[in-house]
Amino acid sequence: MSYTSDEMMTVTAARTLRNGMTCFVGIGLPSEAANLARRTHAPGLVLIYESGTIGAKPSALPLSIGDGILAETADCVVSVPEIFNYWLQPGRIDVGFLGAAQVDRFGNINTTAIGGDYGAPRVRLPGAGGAPEIAAACREVTIVLRQSPRSFVGRVDFVTSVGFGDGPGSRERLGLTGHGPRRVITDLGVLEPDPRTCELVLTGVYPGVTVPQVREGTGWDLRVSAGLATVPPPTDAELAALRELRAAGQHHPRSATAGSSQMTGAIR
Amino acid sequence: MAEIVSLAEAVAAAIGDGDTVAMEGFTHLIPHAAGHEVIRQGLRDLTLVRMTPDIIYDQLIGAGCARKLVFSWAGNPGVGSLHRFRDAVEHGWPVPLEIEEHSHAGMANRYAAGAAGLPFAVMRGYRGTSLASQTAGVAEVTCPFTGEVLTAVSALRPDVAVIHAQRADRAGNVQFWGITGVQKEAVLASARSVVTVEEIVDELDPRPNAVVLPSWVVGWVALAPGGAHPSYALGYSARDNDF
């Protein structure tokens, strides 16, 4: 079955989630991947959204973090102060799944403003949402975004959420309790932090994608892992499940998402 | 005791020019009808507070009601960005908009501190981010017991909270369920409150996960069926993503 680079990205992100894990889900691309995992190899994956829905089991892709289908299918729904203070902050959650507008070589995330200065930016983005504390407190973090030199920069214009800060030792100095970004999954391949330098290096490429192509899509001098692997293409079963999930998101009669096909993962 | 009045009467009684107003709702139960009434009454120089300002705040900004926005994520979840907000921040058009920006956890804790009658809340957050240096009301605090350095965020104490709920009874007790967000904290943190409801009933039978705000902590209740549109009210309406 032929597939798009976006489908490859979502499938690759979904594969990193294991059955029984708890996952704090950002909306857009991360949510699509997390829902795909729950629909395929990880039916016991616990999806947690910042709207306070814990253990949501949506049959269709939610369009927002506060869709009715999340509340109706959740194990429990708690208030917003509670989801952050009792559930996220103490480090109970295995993995945070986040999108980004910009990510830098140390895995720091910008979803606030690009260009100019903070008071008069060239592009004003939505802002932090739940991401800073998700990035700080989950045991590990996976970042999902499309790759380009504009989105992969040496240093983000604004640190909305901390990855590895300025490099080794930053997270410890800041008292951040989680381990930080474990991987960045793009539409070209997979980047992972070097355990010694904390710098993101290329560890996986998709079939048909070349290393120079990924380097061109990166705004710093991207290093390539000695163990660079080619990520296996999506299986027919993975693709079928993903397409079914997307179709359900557009047509599910009970879902408040019915009627729209617009996905704007890039802004979150 | 809450007074049950028309929406126009509630807004006129509760909100004045220059007030700090928190119209809360987390994707679900956004008080759109009340926001439109604020525009209709031509209120000015408001400081608008909201974790997730969306299209109704964009309209309030575009209509020139707002002087300042206090927020943590500005956008229409899943369906696009806020054009009047972006124009105001990127180009100072139609008028400059002062912004005070936080994380969701920060805002939630600020409301909780306000509701608890405390000057600040303690949390783990903001450290290492650029937000910490751009935003007032965020500071380091040292735990008196362990010496650990944590983050303090100042309490939010709006003049007025405005929320939308599924229903109220005739005594003005308010009940809402589903995703309940930060609305309880917003009402308890604020000096005054307006609640619009889908319906007014004789008796509030129990619902799973419901928040009940007793009549004596609510200022004004107004009937506004469909008042959350284009957001939704669980059990009453679906989100209108094509809006």
Side-chain angles (χ1 to χ4, degrees):
Chain A
M1 222 186 282
S2 67
Y3 57 90
T4 67
S5 55
D6 271 10
E7 287 174 328
M8 183 72 221
M9 169 171 60
T10 299
V11 166
T12 304
R15 287 171 181 163
T16 67
L17 292 165
R18 296 186 304 277
N19 199 25
M21 273 183 135
T22 49
C23 178
F24 208 110
V25 192
I27 206 61
L29 296 171
S31 178
E32 189 172 77
N35 276 279
L36 176 63
R38 206 186 67 79
R39 296 273 291 241
T40 52
H41 64 279
L45 180 68
V46 179
L47 302 182
I48 299 164
Y49 288 83
E50 66 193 21
S51 55
T53 55
I54 298 175
K57 292 167 276 292
S59 54
L61 208 55
L63 186 65
S64 84
I65 44 79
D67 276 10
I69 197 166
L70 299 176
E72 288 169 321
T73 62
D75 295 329
C76 61
V77 183
V78 301
S79 72
V80 168
E82 182 175 330
I83 197 72
F84 287 108
N85 286 345
Y86 293 3
W87 299 90
L88 177 62
Q89 185 168 261
R92 279 178 222 288
I93 298 177
D94 293 321
V95 57
F97 245 49
L98 294 173
Q102 257 187 352
V103 66
D104 70 20
R105 71 199 308 165
F106 290 124
N108 301 301
I109 292 174
N110 177 13
T111 54
T112 302
I114 292 179
D117 62 36
Y118 175 74
R122 187 166 57 76
V123 179
R124 176 63 223 198
L125 300 163
E133 285 78 21
I134 296 171
C138 288
R139 291 192 186 101
E140 63 175 54
V141 172
T142 294
I143 303 165
V144 190
L145 79 163
R146 297 182 187 94
Q147 191 157 358
S148 78
R150 288 175 60 201
S151 58
F152 280 69
V153 294
R155 181 72 184 167
V156 287
D157 297 342
F158 191 97
V159 181
T160 311
S161 304
V162 179
F164 293 105
D166 300 322
S170 276
R171 290 188 70 88
E172 293 73 15
R173 279 195 298 278
L174 294 167
L176 306 181
T177 50
H179 297 303
R182 177 79 179 274
R183 57 187 79 79
V184 179
I185 293 171
T186 83
D187 52 348
L188 299 176
V190 180
L191 290 73
E192 295 178 60
D194 180 308
R196 196 174 47 82
T197 64
C198 295
E199 181 176 320
L200 293 173
V201 299
L202 183 66
T203 59
V205 289
Y206 299 153
V209 174
T210 65
V211 168
Q213 225 179 311
V214 185
R215 288 172 57 90
E216 273 168 36
T218 308
W220 71 87
D221 189 16
L222 178 67
R223 295 201 305 115
V224 179
S225 165
L228 179 72
T230 300
V231 182
T235 65
D236 287 355
E238 285 169 331
L239 277 179
L242 175 55
R243 289 170 189 177
E244 192 183 315
L245 189 63
R246 284 183 172 170
Q250 290 163 32
H251 303 299
H252 195 277
R254 272 180 69 215
S255 165
T257 67
S260 175
S261 60
Q262 191 181 0
M263 293 297 302
T264 54
I267 61 166
R268 194 68 194 267
Chain B
M1 294 293 285
E3 279 185 65
I4 299 179
V5 296
S6 72
L7 176 54
E9 289 168 324
V11 167
I15 308 176
D17 288 344
D19 276 356
T20 296
V21 183
M23 303 185 203
E24 273 297 348
F26 207 82
T27 306
H28 180 217
L29 295 174
I30 314 299
H32 278 271
H36 285 161
E37 184 58 32
V38 168
I39 294 172
R40 212 175 282 126
Q41 295 194 11
L43 287 155
R44 287 291 177 270
D45 294 322
L46 302 177
T47 293
L48 294 176
V49 186
R50 169 96 182 268
M51 290 182 65
T52 53
D54 57 8
I55 189 169
I56 186 60
Y57 268 41
D58 214 31
Q59 291 175 353
L60 284 155
I61 292 165
C65 301
R67 180 185 70 76
K68 180 178 177 182
L69 178 67
V70 181
F71 73 105
S72 44
W73 194 86
N76 291 305
V79 289
S81 64
L82 301 182
H83 299 287
R84 300 285 74 73
F85 162 72
R86 288 185 57 176
D87 270 342
V89 174
E90 293 170 11
H91 310 299
W93 185 89
V95 287
L97 179 71
E98 189 183 339
I99 60 173
E100 180 185 325
E101 185 167 6
H102 290 267
S103 70
H104 276 354
M107 285 290 283
N109 275 295
R110 299 182 72 203
Y111 275 122
L118 292 171
F120 68 91
V122 177
M123 60 181 287
R124 296 179 194 279
Y126 292 87
R127 301 197 69 197
T129 72
S130 306
L131 272 178
S133 58
Q134 291 292 352
T135 294
V138 178
E140 289 187 347
V141 62
T142 303
C143 171
F145 305 107
T146 65
E148 189 179 356
V149 177
L150 299 161
T151 298
V153 286
S154 62
L156 273 172
R157 296 177 179 282
D159 296 308
V160 192
V162 179
I163 67 168
H164 186 72
Q166 276 101 339
R167 49 193 197 165
D169 66 15
R170 295 185 200 289
N173 298 298
V174 168
Q175 185 189 42
F176 56 101
W177 61 89
I179 290 167
T180 55
V182 76
Q183 290 97 300
K184 178 182 184 173
E185 287 76 9
V187 167
L188 295 180
S190 298
R192 302 184 292 280
S193 59
V194 171
V195 183
T196 55
V197 294
E198 290 289 325
E199 61 174 340
I200 294 175
V201 298
D202 291 329
E203 198 173 342
L204 298 174
D205 55 308
R207 294 294 174 112
N209 200 50
V211 170
V212 173
L213 291 172
S215 175
W216 54 272
V217 294
V218 176
W220 293 270
V221 171
L223 183 64
H229 181 268
S231 83
Y232 71 104
L234 193 68
Y236 290 80
S237 63
R239 192 166 185 243
D240 182 359
N241 289 308
D242 292 334
F243 180 77

